[in-house]
Amino acid sequence: MSSLHNHNESLCSLCDRFQDWLVDSTTPPGGARNDGRQFPEAHGAGTTAQGMSGLGLPGTPPLELLEGAASPLEMAELASPGPSVAETCDALLGFAPAELREHAQACADCRDAADDLVTLRKLLRDLEPVPVAGPFFASRVMANIAAQESVERSRIAAVWLAVPRFASRLSWVAAVALVFACGWLYERPVTVPAQQTASAFASEHLFDPPALPPNHDDVLVSLSENEQ
Amino acid sequence: MEDAPPRVSTAPGAANDRVLVARAQADDREAFEELIRRHQQRVFAVAARILRKREDVEDISQQVFVKAFFSLKRFDQRAAFSTWLYKITVNECWDLLRKKKVRPLVYDSDLSEDQSRQVSASDGSRSTEPDILDRIEARERVDRLLAGLDERDRLMLILKEVEGMSIEEIGEVMDINANTVKVRLFRARKRMVVASRQREK
């Protein structure tokens, strides 16, 4: 049959579609056997992805359940090996659309991919169960949140409490600085540098009115002195 | 024993999540507590698959919900709440591993012969049933096979095949394109199956 299916792998859209379907597929639930019989629910092919999640029961009963099984019959049923990969694979393909199912029967690659997926899911059933959240987990989280909020609130409150303390200290420091500044200003010797005096003098006389002409009497006196 | 929560996109409670998130955003503590109860097990499961140590799993799960609470106002509900939560979980777990600078999982093969014997004895001491010992061996075998995968591939595989997330959800949680997720999943699956068959031989 597979020899009839001669295709270029990269160009075969059916292969792509089959792969997409396969990725989204879940292994058929416990009851889906080709021959109409049921697989053992607790341990068989009932490894839908969802079925494997949650309480960490990857399709395998946890040890506690095995230990707590009431009778040897139950123990045997729970621990039974379940259907083979080929059986589960056939059951899985039974859920595929007719076109893809026919394709998978003809295409060795797609059949291998389905086998791989089933094998992998069977392997993952043996994963260790995850721990279960305790009954008070939510309460603990809420308490943790409340604690963090109160820490945050007290941090903010601490900032506002620090402001008045800082303000009183600042006013004390400012008062002391003011006293020292006033004292220094009061006691400061008044000394003016020479250059500054000359320039200040110049600037002071810059806008003075022009000097008055000499007195006529003074001129006469000086002329008579020159004649003598 | 609780039932496993169904896939988020098809979950009947998905719409309720939106309502609960909106209420929690309006400072309704009870709504957030309800959200915790709804998602705690899945968060535990995802964290446990990455970290393994029970104490770490519990601590990280608490941290995840606390972080979610304080970031909830910024969550615009474009993605499903659960996807957003798992994204926080994955990031928190990887942060922890980075801080600790340890390998995420310790496998039997990493232990000395004595340690290995002690572990086996402590695991098997609760029961002498041979099938339970077989099961323990099977678990170790799966752990070893998973250890052969890249850390991200391993997580992807577990989120898909064990936790039942969709390709799109995994893409969102891990910040990867959906097509890349498909390709990587396909390769990881192949690698694991080949390794398993080699071991069997």
Side-chain angles (χ1 to χ4, degrees), chain A residues 23 121 126 140 149, chain B residues 29 49 58 139 160-161:
Chain A
V23 165
R121 284 179 181 169
D126 292 325
R140 276 205 299 276
E149 277 183 330
Chain B
R29 297 291 168 107
R49 295 296 175 208
E58 179 126 18
R139 277 177 196 171
K160 176 74 184 75
E161 302 299 343

Side-chain angles (χ1 to χ4, degrees), chain B residues 91-129:
Chain B
N91 288 339
E92 287 289 311
C93 290
W94 278 341
D95 277 354
L96 181 77
L97 292 177
R98 220 172 291 134
K99 273 181 209 157
K100 285 188 167 183
K101 289 185 181 169
V102 292
R103 288 175 54 201
L105 305 173
V106 176
Y107 297 101
D108 198 38
S109 53
D110 299 329
L111 304 175
S112 69
E113 205 174 325
D114 279 350
Q115 286 171 323
S116 181
R117 209 175 297 131
Q118 281 172 5
V119 169
S120 304
S122 63
D123 280 349
S125 59
R126 292 190 295 170
S127 171
T128 53
E129 297 295 336

Side-chain angles (χ1 to χ4, degrees), chain A residues 20 23 49-50 52-53 55 60 63 66 79 116-117 121 123 126 128 131 133 137 140 144 149, chain B residues 1-2 7 29 40-41 49 54 58 62 131-132 135 139 142 160-162 167 182 190 193 197:
Chain A
D20 284 348
V23 165
Q50 285 84 10
M52 292 160 76
S53 62
L55 297 178
T60 303
L63 292 175
L66 284 171
D116 286 354
L117 184 70
R121 284 179 181 169
L123 280 170
D126 292 325
E128 192 176 346
F137 177 77
R140 276 205 299 276
N144 199 340
E149 277 183 330
Chain B
M1 205 184 294
E2 294 172 16
R7 194 181 289 193
R29 297 291 168 107
Q40 60 185 24
Q41 199 47 56
R49 295 296 175 208
R54 161 107 209 175
E58 179 126 18
Q62 279 208 29
D131 51 315
I132 292 174
R135 212 163 286 290
R139 277 177 196 171
V142 177
K160 176 74 184 75
E161 302 299 343
V162 182
I167 300 285
K182 275 185 196 174
K190 193 85 194 163
V193 169
R197 284 178 186 152

Side-chain angles (χ1 to χ4, degrees), chain A residues 4 18 20 28 37 39 51 84 91 96 117 124 132 148 150 155 161 191 206 211-212 219:
Chain A
L4 295 174
F18 183 79
D20 284 348
R37 286 181 289 135
F39 288 142
S84 68
L117 184 70
L124 290 178
V132 179
Q148 287 209 17
S150 86
R155 198 178 61 82
L161 283 174
T191 51
L206 190 61
L212 290 170
V219 173

